[in-house]
Amino acid sequence: MRLMHLMLAALCLAAFAAFPGSVQARSAPLVDPDPVAIPAGVDSAKVAKDIKRALMGRGWSVTAEQPGQIDSTLNLRTHVARIRVSYDNYLGWIGYLTADLSTNLQLSGQD
């Protein structure tokens, strides 16, 4: 009986060695998503609140928070994912700057 177990184990090892890709976990490259535009006039506190609401709505838990970034963790069965969401109002500032520049140029054309 012991010999039978050893032969079965050797057969299994040989089968897995012949097809190494069949026993590996699926992998996919990690890709950073494109930035999300923050509408002009939305303050950082509102942005942070909306980010946390989106995270918690998908089952993520907020593990740390600092001005401009939120760390979050997702525990799914035996898997764990950790992310850092960075945010600022740069796009809002650029929106204000573009609007001011457009206004100034229109006023300059009226002189």
Side-chain angles (χ1 to χ4, degrees):
M1 186 72 166
R2 182 165 167 84
L3 181 60
M4 180 76 121
H5 285 273
L6 288 173
M7 287 177 53
L8 183 59
L11 181 62
C12 287
L13 278 174
F16 287 135
F19 303 104
S22 63
V23 294
Q24 295 179 357
R26 179 177 59 97
S27 66
L30 297 178
V31 178
D32 284 336
D34 292 331
V36 175
I38 299 171
V42 177
D43 67 357
S44 292
K46 175 71 171 133
V47 172
K49 180 180 176 183
D50 288 342
I51 291 169
K52 289 186 282 188
R53 185 173 50 170
L55 289 166
M56 289 185 268
R58 292 290 179 169
W60 292 79
S61 59
V62 175
T63 55
E65 184 176 355
Q66 299 176 24
Q69 75 181 33
I70 296 172
D71 294 342
S72 188
T73 301
L74 177 66
N75 293 296
L76 190 60
R77 294 180 297 277
T78 60
H79 305 288
V80 176
R82 292 182 182 89
I83 61 170
R84 173 169 289 156
V85 180
S86 299
Y87 62 93
D88 61 31
N89 282 10
Y90 170 76
L91 294 176
W93 298 332
I94 293 300
Y96 287 137
L97 182 60
T98 302
D100 290 349
L101 178 58
S102 178
T103 300
N104 290 343
L105 289 172
Q106 287 176 359
L107 292 174
S108 292
Q110 294 176 359
D111 291 342

